[in-house]
Amino acid sequence: MDEFMNEVRALVYTIICLQCLLQFVSGSSYQKYLKLFTGLLVVCLCCSVVFSAVSSFKNYEVEIKSFEEIWEEQWNG
């Protein structure tokens, strides 16, 4: 879960930095290209965060199932 939180934190910091950069170049001819690049980068990072979350939840599910099997074996005897 720590890895997921670190990825979310990096995503937020990246978005903040890119928004500052967009504000810095406002009115420039490069602004539309930078907006496109920023949008694509944010989409890629969001997808990465979502896939990371799904994989970590799957790992937790596997761990819980293995603990459940161990507990049932100990309970039954």
Side-chain angles (χ1 to χ4, degrees):
M1 196 56 121
D2 291 332
E3 180 181 333
F4 174 70
M5 292 305 295
N6 287 336
E7 287 187 16
V8 170
R9 187 176 297 120
L11 173 66
V12 171
Y13 291 154
T14 303
I15 291 173
I16 291 170
C17 290
L18 290 173
Q19 289 299 321
C20 290
L21 185 60
L22 280 173
Q23 290 293 322
F24 182 69
V25 297
S26 65
S28 173
S29 61
Y30 297 110
Q31 184 180 9
K32 64 180 178 181
Y33 300 114
L34 190 59
K35 270 188 177 180
L36 175 65
F37 174 74
T38 300
L40 292 174
L41 183 63
V42 168
V43 167
C44 290
L45 289 173
C46 288
C47 289
S48 173
V49 168
V50 168
F51 288 134
S52 173
V54 168
S55 68
S56 67
F57 289 134
K58 283 184 180 180
N59 290 339
Y60 286 130
E61 182 181 353
V62 169
E63 288 178 16
I64 289 172
K65 284 184 180 181
S66 67
F67 287 135
E68 180 182 354
E69 290 171 359
I70 292 170
W71 182 80
E72 284 180 357
E73 288 176 3
Q74 290 177 351
W75 181 262
N76 292 332

